mmCIF file of all heavy atoms in Angstrom:
data_model
loop_
_atom_site.group_PDB
_atom_site.id
_atom_site.type_symbol
_atom_site.label_atom_id
_atom_site.label_comp_id
_atom_site.label_asym_id
_atom_site.label_seq_id
_atom_site.Cartn_x
_atom_site.Cartn_y
_atom_site.Cartn_z
ATOM 1 N N ALA K 180 24.580 26.552 0.704
ATOM 2 C CA ALA K 180 24.188 27.553 1.698
ATOM 3 C C ALA K 180 22.728 27.944 1.539
ATOM 4 O O ALA K 180 21.985 28.019 2.533
ATOM 5 C CB ALA K 180 25.087 28.783 1.603
ATOM 6 N N GLU K 181 22.292 28.178 0.314
ATOM 7 C CA GLU K 181 20.890 28.562 0.123
ATOM 8 C C GLU K 181 19.960 27.374 0.377
ATOM 9 O O GLU K 181 18.840 27.562 0.862
ATOM 10 C CB GLU K 181 20.666 29.187 -1.250
ATOM 11 C CG GLU K 181 21.046 28.340 -2.414
ATOM 12 C CD GLU K 181 21.109 29.113 -3.727
ATOM 13 O OE1 GLU K 181 20.677 30.280 -3.789
ATOM 14 O OE2 GLU K 181 21.591 28.519 -4.695
ATOM 15 N N ALA K 182 20.403 26.154 0.112
ATOM 16 C CA ALA K 182 19.577 24.983 0.420
ATOM 17 C C ALA K 182 19.378 24.866 1.935
ATOM 18 O O ALA K 182 18.262 24.637 2.410
ATOM 19 C CB ALA K 182 20.206 23.716 -0.147
ATOM 20 N N PHE K 183 20.470 25.021 2.714
ATOM 21 C CA PHE K 183 20.368 24.984 4.177
ATOM 22 C C PHE K 183 19.460 26.102 4.688
ATOM 23 O O PHE K 183 18.585 25.880 5.526
ATOM 24 C CB PHE K 183 21.743 25.132 4.831
ATOM 25 C CG PHE K 183 22.519 23.851 4.921
ATOM 26 C CD1 PHE K 183 23.704 23.705 4.223
ATOM 27 C CD2 PHE K 183 22.086 22.801 5.721
ATOM 28 C CE1 PHE K 183 24.438 22.529 4.309
ATOM 29 C CE2 PHE K 183 22.808 21.628 5.817
ATOM 30 C CZ PHE K 183 23.999 21.490 5.108
ATOM 31 N N ASP K 184 19.683 27.326 4.201
ATOM 32 C CA ASP K 184 18.900 28.477 4.673
ATOM 33 C C ASP K 184 17.414 28.304 4.370
ATOM 34 O O ASP K 184 16.558 28.553 5.224
ATOM 35 C CB ASP K 184 19.405 29.769 4.035
ATOM 36 C CG ASP K 184 20.788 30.176 4.515
ATOM 37 O OD1 ASP K 184 21.250 29.657 5.550
ATOM 38 O OD2 ASP K 184 21.411 31.020 3.835
ATOM 39 N N ALA K 185 17.093 27.887 3.155
ATOM 40 C CA ALA K 185 15.696 27.723 2.757
ATOM 41 C C ALA K 185 15.028 26.610 3.558
ATOM 42 O O ALA K 185 13.891 26.754 4.013
ATOM 43 C CB ALA K 185 15.599 27.444 1.259
ATOM 44 N N CYS K 186 15.733 25.504 3.751
ATOM 45 C CA CYS K 186 15.175 24.376 4.500
ATOM 46 C C CYS K 186 14.881 24.788 5.948
ATOM 47 O O CYS K 186 13.803 24.509 6.482
ATOM 48 C CB CYS K 186 16.133 23.195 4.440
ATOM 49 S SG CYS K 186 15.452 21.663 5.101
ATOM 50 N N ARG K 187 15.828 25.463 6.558
ATOM 51 C CA ARG K 187 15.648 25.913 7.957
ATOM 52 C C ARG K 187 14.476 26.886 8.066
ATOM 53 O O ARG K 187 13.645 26.792 8.965
ATOM 54 C CB ARG K 187 16.945 26.577 8.444
ATOM 55 C CG ARG K 187 16.847 27.238 9.795
ATOM 56 C CD ARG K 187 17.122 26.238 10.870
ATOM 57 N NE ARG K 187 16.867 26.779 12.185
ATOM 58 C CZ ARG K 187 17.749 26.768 13.154
ATOM 59 N NH1 ARG K 187 18.948 26.279 12.963
ATOM 60 N NH2 ARG K 187 17.434 27.238 14.333
ATOM 61 N N TRP K 188 14.400 27.829 7.158
ATOM 62 C CA TRP K 188 13.304 28.802 7.176
ATOM 63 C C TRP K 188 11.961 28.101 6.981
ATOM 64 O O TRP K 188 10.987 28.402 7.677
ATOM 65 C CB TRP K 188 13.520 29.867 6.102
ATOM 66 C CG TRP K 188 12.424 30.885 6.082
ATOM 67 C CD1 TRP K 188 12.313 31.982 6.887
ATOM 68 C CD2 TRP K 188 11.270 30.891 5.231
ATOM 69 N NE1 TRP K 188 11.159 32.664 6.587
ATOM 70 C CE2 TRP K 188 10.502 32.018 5.571
ATOM 71 C CE3 TRP K 188 10.821 30.057 4.220
ATOM 72 C CZ2 TRP K 188 9.309 32.325 4.942
ATOM 73 C CZ3 TRP K 188 9.627 30.356 3.587
ATOM 74 C CH2 TRP K 188 8.887 31.486 3.950
ATOM 75 N N LEU K 189 11.902 27.149 6.056
ATOM 76 C CA LEU K 189 10.647 26.448 5.790
ATOM 77 C C LEU K 189 10.149 25.678 7.017
ATOM 78 O O LEU K 189 8.986 25.784 7.389
ATOM 79 C CB LEU K 189 10.785 25.505 4.593
ATOM 80 C CG LEU K 189 10.705 26.189 3.238
ATOM 81 C CD1 LEU K 189 11.300 25.308 2.150
ATOM 82 C CD2 LEU K 189 9.261 26.561 2.910
ATOM 83 N N ILE K 190 11.025 24.917 7.679
ATOM 84 C CA ILE K 190 10.555 24.139 8.830
ATOM 85 C C ILE K 190 10.201 25.056 10.002
ATOM 86 O O ILE K 190 9.187 24.860 10.670
ATOM 87 C CB ILE K 190 11.555 23.029 9.246
ATOM 88 C CG1 ILE K 190 10.934 22.137 10.328
ATOM 89 C CG2 ILE K 190 12.880 23.595 9.719
ATOM 90 C CD1 ILE K 190 9.653 21.441 9.954
ATOM 91 N N ASP K 191 10.997 26.095 10.231
ATOM 92 C CA ASP K 191 10.690 27.005 11.333
ATOM 93 C C ASP K 191 9.382 27.750 11.094
ATOM 94 O O ASP K 191 8.562 27.912 12.009
ATOM 95 C CB ASP K 191 11.827 28.011 11.538
ATOM 96 C CG ASP K 191 13.068 27.384 12.150
ATOM 97 O OD1 ASP K 191 12.986 26.250 12.665
ATOM 98 O OD2 ASP K 191 14.136 28.035 12.110
ATOM 99 N N THR K 192 9.155 28.202 9.874
ATOM 100 C CA THR K 192 7.935 28.942 9.556
ATOM 101 C C THR K 192 6.726 28.017 9.547
ATOM 102 O O THR K 192 5.655 28.379 10.039
ATOM 103 C CB THR K 192 8.089 29.684 8.216
ATOM 104 O OG1 THR K 192 9.278 30.471 8.254
ATOM 105 C CG2 THR K 192 6.902 30.597 7.956
ATOM 106 N N LEU K 193 6.894 26.806 9.033
ATOM 107 C CA LEU K 193 5.812 25.828 9.059
ATOM 108 C C LEU K 193 5.364 25.582 10.501
ATOM 109 O O LEU K 193 4.171 25.630 10.806
ATOM 110 C CB LEU K 193 6.300 24.522 8.413
ATOM 111 C CG LEU K 193 5.295 23.390 8.246
ATOM 112 C CD1 LEU K 193 5.757 22.474 7.120
ATOM 113 C CD2 LEU K 193 5.067 22.598 9.486
ATOM 114 N N LYS K 194 6.327 25.342 11.395
ATOM 115 C CA LYS K 194 5.986 25.046 12.795
ATOM 116 C C LYS K 194 5.269 26.204 13.484
ATOM 117 O O LYS K 194 4.398 25.988 14.315
ATOM 118 C CB LYS K 194 7.244 24.684 13.574
ATOM 119 C CG LYS K 194 7.776 23.294 13.251
ATOM 120 C CD LYS K 194 8.946 22.949 14.105
ATOM 121 C CE LYS K 194 8.499 22.840 15.532
ATOM 122 N NZ LYS K 194 9.308 22.034 16.402
ATOM 123 N N SER K 195 5.631 27.432 13.149
ATOM 124 C CA SER K 195 5.042 28.567 13.857
ATOM 125 C C SER K 195 3.785 29.123 13.198
ATOM 126 O O SER K 195 2.947 29.698 13.881
ATOM 127 C CB SER K 195 6.075 29.684 14.023
ATOM 128 O OG SER K 195 6.420 30.226 12.778
ATOM 129 N N ASP K 196 3.628 28.943 11.883
ATOM 130 C CA ASP K 196 2.560 29.651 11.173
ATOM 131 C C ASP K 196 1.434 28.786 10.602
ATOM 132 O O ASP K 196 0.362 29.303 10.328
ATOM 133 C CB ASP K 196 3.147 30.453 10.001
ATOM 134 C CG ASP K 196 4.013 31.614 10.448
ATOM 135 O OD1 ASP K 196 4.176 31.806 11.669
ATOM 136 O OD2 ASP K 196 4.543 32.319 9.568
ATOM 137 N N VAL K 197 1.672 27.515 10.361
ATOM 138 C CA VAL K 197 0.674 26.692 9.668
ATOM 139 C C VAL K 197 -0.331 26.121 10.666
ATOM 140 O O VAL K 197 0.030 25.730 11.779
ATOM 141 C CB VAL K 197 1.366 25.570 8.854
ATOM 142 C CG1 VAL K 197 0.348 24.650 8.193
ATOM 143 C CG2 VAL K 197 2.272 26.191 7.781
ATOM 144 N N ALA K 198 -1.592 26.048 10.256
ATOM 145 C CA ALA K 198 -2.706 25.618 11.113
ATOM 146 C C ALA K 198 -2.688 24.110 11.353
ATOM 147 O O ALA K 198 -3.581 23.363 10.954
ATOM 148 C CB ALA K 198 -4.033 26.055 10.500
ATOM 149 N N ILE K 199 -1.591 23.662 12.000
ATOM 150 C CA ILE K 199 -1.432 22.271 12.402
ATOM 151 C C ILE K 199 -1.099 22.292 13.893
ATOM 152 O O ILE K 199 -0.208 23.020 14.311
ATOM 153 C CB ILE K 199 -0.299 21.572 11.618
ATOM 154 C CG1 ILE K 199 -0.604 21.582 10.110
ATOM 155 C CG2 ILE K 199 -0.095 20.142 12.118
ATOM 156 C CD1 ILE K 199 0.548 21.104 9.248
ATOM 157 N N TRP K 200 -1.837 21.499 14.677
ATOM 158 C CA TRP K 200 -1.647 21.485 16.114
ATOM 159 C C TRP K 200 -1.173 20.112 16.554
ATOM 160 O O TRP K 200 -1.591 19.093 16.015
ATOM 161 C CB TRP K 200 -2.942 21.862 16.820
ATOM 162 C CG TRP K 200 -3.391 23.214 16.380
ATOM 163 C CD1 TRP K 200 -2.944 24.416 16.838
ATOM 164 C CD2 TRP K 200 -4.348 23.502 15.363
ATOM 165 N NE1 TRP K 200 -3.570 25.440 16.170
ATOM 166 C CE2 TRP K 200 -4.438 24.911 15.253
ATOM 167 C CE3 TRP K 200 -5.140 22.719 14.517
ATOM 168 C CZ2 TRP K 200 -5.289 25.539 14.349
ATOM 169 C CZ3 TRP K 200 -5.975 23.341 13.619
ATOM 170 C CH2 TRP K 200 -6.051 24.740 13.546
ATOM 171 N N LYS K 201 -0.299 20.104 17.585
ATOM 172 C CA LYS K 201 0.338 18.878 18.047
ATOM 173 C C LYS K 201 -0.040 18.606 19.505
ATOM 174 O O LYS K 201 -0.010 19.496 20.341
ATOM 175 C CB LYS K 201 1.855 19.042 17.906
ATOM 176 C CG LYS K 201 2.669 17.897 18.404
ATOM 177 C CD LYS K 201 4.132 18.003 18.007
ATOM 178 C CE LYS K 201 4.871 19.093 18.687
ATOM 179 N NZ LYS K 201 6.324 19.053 18.433
ATOM 180 N N ARG K 202 -0.353 17.330 19.755
ATOM 181 C CA ARG K 202 -0.668 16.900 21.117
ATOM 182 C C ARG K 202 0.213 15.700 21.462
ATOM 183 O O ARG K 202 0.321 14.757 20.680
ATOM 184 C CB ARG K 202 -2.134 16.508 21.211
ATOM 185 C CG ARG K 202 -2.551 16.080 22.582
ATOM 186 C CD ARG K 202 -4.031 15.897 22.754
ATOM 187 N NE ARG K 202 -4.658 15.289 21.600
ATOM 188 C CZ ARG K 202 -5.967 15.226 21.426
ATOM 189 N NH1 ARG K 202 -6.782 15.738 22.310
ATOM 190 N NH2 ARG K 202 -6.474 14.647 20.367
ATOM 191 N N ASP K 203 0.859 15.745 22.635
ATOM 192 C CA ASP K 203 1.640 14.619 23.135
ATOM 193 C C ASP K 203 0.688 13.568 23.688
ATOM 194 O O ASP K 203 -0.244 13.893 24.444
ATOM 195 C CB ASP K 203 2.557 15.051 24.281
ATOM 196 C CG ASP K 203 3.744 15.891 23.835
ATOM 197 O OD1 ASP K 203 4.098 15.865 22.645
ATOM 198 O OD2 ASP K 203 4.336 16.567 24.705
ATOM 199 N N LEU K 204 0.922 12.309 23.341
ATOM 200 C CA LEU K 204 0.221 11.191 23.956
ATOM 201 C C LEU K 204 1.239 10.519 24.872
ATOM 202 O O LEU K 204 2.304 10.084 24.411
ATOM 203 C CB LEU K 204 -0.276 10.209 22.886
ATOM 204 C CG LEU K 204 -1.162 10.812 21.786
ATOM 205 C CD1 LEU K 204 -1.553 9.757 20.771
ATOM 206 C CD2 LEU K 204 -2.390 11.478 22.370
ATOM 207 N N LEU K 205 0.941 10.461 26.171
ATOM 208 C CA LEU K 205 1.910 10.031 27.176
ATOM 209 C C LEU K 205 1.673 8.596 27.641
ATOM 210 O O LEU K 205 0.561 8.074 27.534
ATOM 211 C CB LEU K 205 1.881 10.993 28.356
ATOM 212 C CG LEU K 205 2.102 12.476 27.992
ATOM 213 C CD1 LEU K 205 1.936 13.362 29.207
ATOM 214 C CD2 LEU K 205 3.467 12.671 27.351
ATOM 215 N N SER K 206 2.735 7.999 28.185
ATOM 216 C CA SER K 206 2.692 6.600 28.614
ATOM 217 C C SER K 206 1.685 6.340 29.735
ATOM 218 O O SER K 206 1.203 5.219 29.877
ATOM 219 C CB SER K 206 4.086 6.141 29.046
ATOM 220 O OG SER K 206 4.583 6.960 30.088
ATOM 221 N N ASP K 207 1.339 7.363 30.496
ATOM 222 C CA ASP K 207 0.349 7.179 31.564
ATOM 223 C C ASP K 207 -1.090 7.333 31.058
ATOM 224 O O ASP K 207 -2.036 7.293 31.829
ATOM 225 C CB ASP K 207 0.610 8.147 32.721
ATOM 226 C CG ASP K 207 0.345 9.607 32.359
ATOM 227 O OD1 ASP K 207 0.091 9.900 31.164
ATOM 228 O OD2 ASP K 207 0.397 10.456 33.269
ATOM 229 N N GLY K 208 -1.247 7.527 29.745
ATOM 230 C CA GLY K 208 -2.580 7.668 29.155
ATOM 231 C C GLY K 208 -3.064 9.095 29.041
ATOM 232 O O GLY K 208 -4.090 9.370 28.420
ATOM 233 N N SER K 209 -2.342 10.048 29.616
ATOM 234 C CA SER K 209 -2.752 11.451 29.540
ATOM 235 C C SER K 209 -2.263 12.073 28.221
ATOM 236 O O SER K 209 -1.462 11.479 27.497
ATOM 237 C CB SER K 209 -2.215 12.242 30.730
ATOM 238 O OG SER K 209 -0.805 12.290 30.702
ATOM 239 N N THR K 210 -2.766 13.260 27.950
ATOM 240 C CA THR K 210 -2.355 13.997 26.754
ATOM 241 C C THR K 210 -2.090 15.440 27.148
ATOM 242 O O THR K 210 -2.569 15.915 28.183
ATOM 243 C CB THR K 210 -3.447 13.971 25.664
ATOM 244 O OG1 THR K 210 -4.594 14.671 26.140
ATOM 245 C CG2 THR K 210 -3.812 12.552 25.271
ATOM 246 N N ARG K 211 -1.302 16.127 26.306
ATOM 247 C CA ARG K 211 -1.088 17.564 26.523
ATOM 248 C C ARG K 211 -0.821 18.213 25.170
ATOM 249 O O ARG K 211 -0.120 17.662 24.324
ATOM 250 C CB ARG K 211 0.047 17.825 27.502
ATOM 251 C CG ARG K 211 1.393 17.422 26.972
ATOM 252 C CD ARG K 211 2.518 17.757 27.901
ATOM 253 N NE ARG K 211 3.748 17.420 27.207
ATOM 254 C CZ ARG K 211 4.932 17.623 27.663
ATOM 255 N NH1 ARG K 211 5.106 18.164 28.837
ATOM 256 N NH2 ARG K 211 5.990 17.286 26.958
ATOM 257 N N TRP K 212 -1.418 19.385 24.978
ATOM 258 C CA TRP K 212 -1.196 20.141 23.754
ATOM 259 C C TRP K 212 0.172 20.809 23.816
ATOM 260 O O TRP K 212 0.601 21.268 24.874
ATOM 261 C CB TRP K 212 -2.282 21.202 23.558
ATOM 262 C CG TRP K 212 -3.587 20.576 23.176
ATOM 263 C CD1 TRP K 212 -4.652 20.343 23.994
ATOM 264 C CD2 TRP K 212 -3.940 20.059 21.899
ATOM 265 N NE1 TRP K 212 -5.654 19.724 23.295
ATOM 266 C CE2 TRP K 212 -5.256 19.546 22.001
ATOM 267 C CE3 TRP K 212 -3.299 19.983 20.666
ATOM 268 C CZ2 TRP K 212 -5.924 18.958 20.932
ATOM 269 C CZ3 TRP K 212 -3.962 19.400 19.598
ATOM 270 C CH2 TRP K 212 -5.252 18.904 19.736
ATOM 271 N N VAL K 213 0.842 20.896 22.688
ATOM 272 C CA VAL K 213 2.176 21.486 22.595
ATOM 273 C C VAL K 213 2.050 22.823 21.872
ATOM 274 O O VAL K 213 1.443 22.906 20.801
ATOM 275 C CB VAL K 213 3.138 20.558 21.820
ATOM 276 C CG1 VAL K 213 4.515 21.175 21.696
ATOM 277 C CG2 VAL K 213 3.198 19.196 22.496
ATOM 278 N N GLU K 214 2.619 23.851 22.482
ATOM 279 C CA GLU K 214 2.595 25.185 21.876
ATOM 280 C C GLU K 214 3.568 25.243 20.693
ATOM 281 O O GLU K 214 4.655 24.686 20.762
ATOM 282 C CB GLU K 214 2.994 26.247 22.898
ATOM 283 C CG GLU K 214 1.984 26.425 24.009
ATOM 284 C CD GLU K 214 0.653 26.960 23.516
ATOM 285 O OE1 GLU K 214 0.637 27.853 22.649
ATOM 286 O OE2 GLU K 214 -0.384 26.486 24.008
ATOM 287 N N PRO K 215 3.190 25.939 19.612
ATOM 288 C CA PRO K 215 4.116 26.080 18.479
ATOM 289 C C PRO K 215 5.293 26.974 18.853
ATOM 290 O O PRO K 215 5.246 27.725 19.822
ATOM 291 C CB PRO K 215 3.257 26.729 17.390
ATOM 292 C CG PRO K 215 2.156 27.392 18.126
ATOM 293 C CD PRO K 215 1.930 26.608 19.393
ATOM 294 N N THR K 216 6.343 26.880 18.054
ATOM 295 C CA THR K 216 7.513 27.732 18.241
ATOM 296 C C THR K 216 7.082 29.182 18.126
ATOM 297 O O THR K 216 6.404 29.561 17.178
ATOM 298 C CB THR K 216 8.582 27.422 17.172
ATOM 299 O OG1 THR K 216 8.876 26.033 17.243
ATOM 300 C CG2 THR K 216 9.822 28.225 17.375
ATOM 301 N N ALA K 217 7.479 29.999 19.094
ATOM 302 C CA ALA K 217 7.009 31.385 19.150
ATOM 303 C C ALA K 217 7.679 32.285 18.126
ATOM 304 O O ALA K 217 7.040 33.138 17.538
ATOM 305 C CB ALA K 217 7.222 31.943 20.544
#
Side-chain angles (χ1 to χ4, degrees):
E181 58 193 350
F183 277 115
D184 291 344
C186 189
R187 173 87 188 234
W188 180 83
L189 281 161
I190 187 59
D191 288 346
T192 307
L193 184 156
K194 286 184 66 156
S195 66
D196 292 0
V197 177
I199 300 171
W200 301 279
K201 177 169 69 172
R202 181 171 39 191
D203 287 341
L204 305 178
L205 305 175
S206 58
D207 68 353
S209 65
T210 65
R211 67 176 185 177
W212 288 101
V213 179
E214 292 295 319
T216 304

